[in-house]
Amino acid sequence: MSNLSNDLSTLGQAAANFIASKHRMLIGGEREFADSGETLPVYDPSSGEEIGRVPSAGASDVDRAVIAARAAFERDDWANLTPVKRERLMLKLADLLEINAQEFSELESVNSGRGLVNARLFDVDLSVDYLRYMAGWATKIHGKTVGISAPYMPDSNFFAYTTREPIGVVAAITPWNVPLGQAIWKLSPVLATGCTVVLKPAEQTPLTALRFADLIEEAGIPKGVINIITGYGYSAGAAMVEHPDIDKISFTGSTEIGKGIGVVAAQNFKKCTLELGGKSPVIVLEDADLQSAIPGAAWAIFGNHGQNCCAGSRLFVHHTIYEKVLEGVADIAKNLKVGPGLDPETEMGPLVSKKQQKRVMSYINSALAQGATIVAGGEAIEGPGSYVQPTVISDVDDSMTVCQEEIFGPVLVVMPFSDVDEVVKRANATKYGLGASLWTKNISQVHRLLPKLKAGITWVNTHNVLDLAVPFGGVKDSGVGAELSEEAINHHTQIKSTIIQI
Ligand code: NAP
């Protein structure tokens, strides 16, 4: 153990007990091991130590879970539940999560490497809020009445309307960067609309989803409505995507995997939402308030250790203020307190795994090999944990790998620009289109430039701010469809038109 390893004796009793327990999946309301009996390891990335094992589901387990979800979708105790009753179940689930918030935060922090406060805010508190927000939608799903003419039937009268029906069985697959948060983003609209689901969390971070399974039972959600399986993407995930009885795939993860899933979904005419990678630009104009732009740009990349799909990983700064901003952001990077997530002083924890550490370092080394300058950080921290120093890189050009590919780690490239129209073109010149931020006091420039930025979400004088009521999704290779807000309801319902002759 190094001093960068979590001290697991500081864990609360509830989290310690759960970590020590035998982990099982949730299928059809029963707690199950994988048919094969196989398990996969779960690590604490601050120490690299194995802290448990969870079932490694295969195709037969996926099949059992889909059968359970289908049966629940068609069973009266879910299909005929009134919206108010669905709302109440969701509110109960939210209350249970809130009551157990400290335990969930500790589990998430230990398993994902992120700080306790971060895990509390983004995995737990926001999930409680989202369950409550989406619970409200359960009673507000409606269609429209439509006045129709049917001129070829002049002697007839009609009454026409649309309804929104639940789409059916959803396959939800999530990444490891905000594990519980991502799971709840998937589960909440499922519950609000009356769908059912099979959820697979990322192999690295399955603990909070499995603990959440207990709350699902405690809240009284009918058996089979939510099924949670754990396993590898290439086996369990692929079996979910290919399963013929899935109606919709809801995937959050890398563009590479998402592209393959999109192809399978299209071939089988499955509904599909894909929330994928990003390489989001942060553009600081000449007149920006640097008091907020410098820490804002640092937070844009170093928040969640850069393991954030809309991380502001490319910083474009007007050449007149370039040196000042570069120095300011580099100073913040050098002074971030790196340490284990359970240490309350920690500002940045380890990356999720050794594999991710290696991947991030390979990008930093590629930049160095191409002649870039490391202004801050640039190294992995030796030891069993998967730490990478917060890193700021200059002397890059737009075509370098480090400027084009998503790193998903605490690595920022900083580039000067002199012309605003030119910088917008450069900001758009990657395959991604998730987020983009503009830092300026000039409202005319805001309105002139924002429509030109190819991104699903744009910010002014802030970055990474998401809200439950605001749609979130990407364009180009960053994805298809959107989560959060009423959009999530629309993506989990199918519109049906009805025409009645009266
Ligand atoms: P990933 O490798 O694509 O994995 C995401 C999920 O897909 C995991 O559960 C994974 O299982 C599973 N998976 C892997 N191969 C699969 C296959 N062939 N079929 C079905 N499922 C499969 O992504 P990641 O490394 O976990 O997460 C990082 C990525 O997520 C980044 O690109 C980031 O930008 C993106 N992300 C996007 C958003 C957004 O809202 N746009 C939000 C967060 C993260 P395993 O765990 O076993 O690999």
Side-chain angles (χ1 to χ4, degrees), residues 143-155:
K144 293 178 179 164
T145 54
V146 187
I148 63 168
S149 311
Y152 42 85
M153 294 175 75
D155 299 328

Side-chain angles (χ1 to χ4, degrees), residues 173-177 182 185 200-204 231-234 237-238 241 251-255 257 261 275-278 308-309 406 408 434 472 478 483:
I173 301 176
T174 52
W176 43 258
N177 64 326
Q182 292 289 348
W185 281 26
K200 188 198 91 62
E203 68 185 76
Q204 299 88 343
Y232 293 110
Y234 60 79
V241 170
F251 173 80
T252 301
S254 63
T255 293
I257 302 288
I261 289 176
E275 305 293 335
L276 310 177
N308 176 3
C309 51
E406 182 185 46
F408 219 56
L434 196 51
F472 180 64
S478 289
E483 295 198 305

Side-chain angles (χ1 to χ4, degrees), residues 94-177:
D95 290 347
L96 288 171
L97 182 55
E98 192 169 49
I99 289 165
N100 294 287
Q102 179 63 19
E103 178 193 350
F104 273 90
S105 308
E106 290 176 10
L107 290 175
E108 204 66 286
S109 175
V110 169
N111 190 188
S112 69
R114 294 146 57 241
L116 258 182
V117 174
N118 184 6
R120 173 72 187 244
L121 285 177
F122 296 105
D123 285 290
V124 184
D125 293 351
L126 209 57
S127 292
V128 171
D129 287 347
Y130 193 43
L131 280 163
R132 288 181 180 147
Y133 170 84
M134 271 291 153
W137 271 108
T139 55
K140 293 162 196 70
I141 300 169
H142 52 70
K144 293 178 179 164
T145 54
V146 187
I148 63 168
S149 311
Y152 42 85
M153 294 175 75
D155 299 328
S156 298
N157 284 324
F158 297 98
F159 179 64
Y161 59 92
T162 61
T163 41
R164 283 204 164 270
E165 298 184 340
I167 232 161
V169 179
V170 177
I173 301 176
T174 52
W176 43 258
N177 64 326

Side-chain angles (χ1 to χ4, degrees), residues 54-126:
V54 298
S56 176
S60 65
D61 303 297
V62 169
D63 198 41
R64 286 194 289 144
V66 176
I67 289 171
R70 173 63 58 194
F73 183 66
E74 281 162 13
R75 233 179 29 230
D76 278 354
D77 66 350
W78 187 238
N80 292 339
L81 214 57
T82 61
V84 160
K85 285 185 177 157
R86 278 208 308 280
E87 177 184 36
R88 285 190 191 141
L89 283 175
M90 292 180 73
L91 292 175
K92 189 156 179 208
L93 203 47
D95 290 347
L96 288 171
L97 182 55
E98 192 169 49
I99 289 165
N100 294 287
Q102 179 63 19
E103 178 193 350
F104 273 90
S105 308
E106 290 176 10
L107 290 175
E108 204 66 286
S109 175
V110 169
N111 190 188
S112 69
R114 294 146 57 241
L116 258 182
V117 174
N118 184 6
R120 173 72 187 244
L121 285 177
F122 296 105
D123 285 290
V124 184
D125 293 351
L126 209 57

Side-chain angles (χ1 to χ4, degrees), residues 430-446:
T430 73
K431 65 182 181 178
Y432 297 108
L434 196 51
S437 65
L438 197 58
W439 297 74
T440 178
K441 296 186 206 112
N442 184 333
I443 194 77
S444 302
Q445 284 290 43
V446 167

